[in-house]
Amino acid sequence: MAYLTLQGINKIYPNGFHAVHDFNLEIEQGEFIVFVGPSGCGKSTTLRMIAGLENISNGEFLIDGKRANEMGPREREVAMVFQSYALYPHMSVYDNMAFGLSLQGVDDDVIEERVMATAKILGLTDYLDRKPRALSGGQRQRVAVGRAIIRKVGIFLMDEPLSNLDAKQRVTMRSEITDIHRKVGATTIYVTHDQTEAMTMADRIVVMKDGYIQQVGTPYELYFKPVNMFVAGFIGEPPMNFVSGVVTNDTMQVGGATLALDKVLSAETVAKYQGKKLVLGFRPEAIELGAEEDSYVLHAEVELTELLGDNTNVYVDMEGVKSILKVDPHDTPKMDTRIAFSIPYKNVYFFDGETEAVIEK
Ligand code: ATP
């Protein structure tokens, strides 16, 4: 197992493109870290720098406290699972897993022992003689994971390993990978653009945008204490609703309602934002239908309802401001009706209209 230190890491590609800016992170031994963010935000580039597949333009990268910038991929003792898991098609499952070890000159009986143990962890014991083409997508993915964990390295890197699977297989493999991590205990960095994968698998999540880290935290911290609108909108499904307005007389107009800001923000903060733009944020699931105490009460037209089984998404319009509410399916309002809903003060977020940073309550 290993701990990793990334200090002021930058990546500037030969064409001059600055893909990763001042990346700072300490990864503890055995931690499961997820890099998440939209396409092109620099997740894979950072992972490839850790793997030694891409050189680090500047900054310090340490493994177990030792500078590793110039170490080759082998010396770093990392194993990587890619999106295209590229198994050897002509080899059996057994040989696919054994191949790397035989190249290293490991004895056949040791190889057999490790293949059998790995196959057991991954539920592949019955498939060892099969060729990849005779496996399902999920089974192939498990072989790819097996090829990586069989090497017993301290660092395990995965780049969108589930993106070739269907939705159901992804859910199953998600819990299988966390289970394997628990058993193997290797320090793991997992790249995905899927916030659900990040939330369900990570010890800590690193949210990236345009090559910059936005926030590092546990799934709980990112969901309840996002530092800015980007993180607030990225984590959570459907995303957080945002409504912007200008502060006048300690209030803000939202869809025809006048919200008293001092119910949520301190008097100093309200004073500071007089005449300035503020953004109200609330999660679709953090509301209650009807007019409740200790809440901002808003009125809206119901445009569309989507029954999803465990809840209903209600698309509403508040004088041109669109939002999504998540309600109990038994309380689904009728379309084209007018409803009242409440956002408890404790569930309200405010963001600076210019910087998009969250405002402390
Ligand atoms: P995705 O989810 O689409 O894989 P990502 O977050 O992993 O995205 P990266 O692959 O790290 O993103 O790419 C980050 C940025 O660097 C992108 O804008 C990409 O176009 C750019 N980039 C990647 N490789 C190179 C390269 N070899 N030369 C120049 N720019 C590159």
Side-chain angles (χ1 to χ4, degrees):
M1 284 204 275
Y3 69 93
L4 308 179
T5 311
L6 293 99
Q7 285 169 347
I9 299 283
N10 282 272
K11 177 67 188 179
I12 302 160
Y13 279 110
N15 68 356
F17 185 75
H18 200 153
V20 177
H21 298 256
D22 197 27
F23 192 103
N24 290 294
L25 185 68
E26 291 275 344
I27 301 176
E28 284 172 32
Q29 192 157 302
E31 221 181 348
F32 197 116
I33 292 281
V34 176
F35 293 170
V36 73
S39 183
C41 69
K43 313 178 288 288
S44 301
T45 301
T46 309
L47 195 75
R48 292 170 60 80
M49 287 192 282
I50 293 170
L53 301 172
E54 203 67 73
N55 75 309
I56 295 169
S57 306
N58 54 61
E60 291 281 312
F61 173 53
L62 298 96
I63 301 178
D64 290 333
K66 282 199 286 288
R67 184 175 153 99
N69 290 46
E70 284 79 31
M71 277 186 197
R74 249 172 219 286
E75 215 186 329
R76 295 183 190 199
E77 305 224 321
V78 297
M80 191 147 171
V81 181
F82 294 95
Q83 178 173 347
S84 59
Y85 25 84
L87 303 177
Y88 303 112
H90 57 287
M91 285 188 197
S92 66
V93 168
Y94 184 102
D95 290 334
N96 261 288
M97 291 203 279
F99 189 63
L101 296 179
S102 34
L103 279 188
Q104 287 172 24
V106 177
D107 287 345
D108 282 349
D109 49 342
V110 177
I111 292 181
E112 185 176 350
E113 198 181 301
R114 289 228 219 142
V115 171
M116 297 317 282
T118 307
K120 195 164 167 215
I121 293 176
L122 294 165
L124 289 169
T125 310
D126 294 341
Y127 304 95
L128 289 171
D129 295 333
R130 291 212 197 161
K131 299 272 167 61
R133 67 170 179 279
L135 299 174
S136 72
Q139 288 162 342
R140 281 180 212 168
Q141 186 59 54
R142 270 185 264 161
V143 179
V145 172
R147 262 197 329 197
I149 62 175
I150 202 163
R151 293 179 46 208
K152 294 201 172 163
V153 293
I155 307 163
F156 204 25
L157 307 176
M158 300 198 223
D159 195 351
E160 305 248 6
L162 308 187
S163 51
N164 290 336
L165 303 181
D166 66 35
K168 214 169 184 174
Q169 285 174 327
R170 277 210 297 274
V171 175
T172 315
M173 276 306 290
R174 228 158 58 193
S175 55
E176 285 186 15
I177 288 178
T178 23
D179 195 41
I180 293 163
H181 175 253
R182 225 171 281 137
K183 287 179 185 150
V184 176
T187 307
T188 303
I189 307 174
Y190 185 104
V191 162
T192 181
H193 60 269
D194 181 329
Q195 63 93 29
T196 314
E197 274 176 29
M199 289 295 279
T200 52
M201 299 172 87
D203 291 322
R204 280 191 305 154
I205 301 173
V206 178
V207 182
M208 297 180 70
K209 183 192 167 209
D210 299 338
Y212 289 91
I213 292 184
Q214 302 291 304
Q215 189 169 3
V216 180
T218 62
Y220 184 94
E221 284 163 347
L222 295 195
Y223 181 85
F224 289 104
K225 295 183 170 34
V227 296
N228 60 29
M229 285 174 66
F230 180 79
V231 175
F234 196 80
I235 301 289
E237 178 57 35
M240 185 182 279
N241 295 299
F242 297 116
V243 188
S244 61
V246 173
V247 178
T248 31
N249 300 329
D250 302 345
T251 65
M252 188 176 147
Q253 295 290 322
V254 173
T258 303
L259 310 185
L261 296 173
D262 63 357
K263 300 286 185 196
V264 174
L265 298 173
S266 69
E268 290 119 291
T269 307
V270 177
K272 191 176 129 194
Y273 278 92
Q274 281 305 329
K276 300 215 174 90
K277 203 173 120 191
L278 210 56
V279 178
L280 165 82
F282 63 98
R283 294 206 178 271
E285 56 276 26
I287 60 104
E288 288 178 47
L289 290 174
E292 299 288 333
E293 297 283 301
D294 297 323
S295 307
Y296 287 139
V297 178
L298 299 173
H299 292 87
E301 305 291 331
V302 177
E303 292 197 319
L304 180 74
T305 61
E306 278 176 350
L307 174 70
L308 298 171
D310 55 346
N311 61 270
T312 298
N313 287 339
V314 182
Y315 293 75
V316 297
D317 177 293
M318 297 173 286
E319 300 193 355
V321 179
K322 310 280 181 188
S323 287
I324 304 179
L325 315 177
K326 211 167 171 176
V327 305
D328 185 309
H330 303 292
D331 300 333
T332 303
K334 290 208 170 28
M335 280 195 253
D336 300 322
T337 57
R338 191 166 169 80
I339 58 165
F341 68 94
S342 305
I343 318 165
Y345 297 141
K346 64 177 169 40
N347 296 345
V348 169
Y349 294 85
F350 280 109
F351 301 91
D352 184 301
E354 298 300 326
T355 65
E356 302 195 346
V358 77
I359 299 169
E360 290 299 326
K361 293 208 270 185

